[in-house]
Amino acid sequence: MSIVVGLVKVEDLGPVIDQPSSGARYSTVGKLREQGFTVRHTPSQKNPDHATVSVRGDWTAERGHAFNLCFGDPTWVDDIQEQT
């Protein structure tokens, strides 16, 4: 699973991830590690803030649920546009 390190604004994510972004969720390395995930900083030339989240063994429905619990509610571009 790919993630971006830091509090990148939703509207700034598109160029970083090389695709349009309409939302973002935020977590911490601590929360991910508490759920048994490994987080490695894996920068690339295009994205120096890239990180990889992995888990030992198979990615099961339970692990997917644990991963989702690490994140808060999404912030959507539409929500930001409504605030301005």
Side-chain angles (χ1 to χ4, degrees):
M1 190 74 57
S2 292
I3 60 173
V4 177
V5 175
L7 290 174
V8 180
K9 294 178 183 179
V10 172
E11 60 270 26
D12 296 336
L13 273 175
V16 173
I17 61 175
D18 200 25
Q19 59 185 338
S21 175
S22 59
R25 301 183 307 162
Y26 300 94
S27 186
T28 65
V29 170
K31 287 180 184 178
L32 290 161
R33 288 184 175 152
E34 283 175 12
Q35 292 296 322
F37 296 99
T38 300
V39 182
R40 291 182 303 115
H41 186 217
T42 51
S44 67
Q45 191 171 31
K46 186 169 187 158
N47 183 359
D49 296 321
H50 183 271
T52 302
V53 177
S54 59
V55 66
R56 210 165 174 74
D58 294 330
W59 189 277
T60 63
E62 291 82 13
R63 287 188 171 146
H65 181 69
F67 180 80
N68 285 329
L69 288 176
C70 294
F71 293 84
D73 292 333
T75 300
W76 300 103
V77 169
D78 292 343
D79 295 339
I80 294 167
Q81 292 170 348
E82 289 174 8
Q83 294 172 8
T84 57

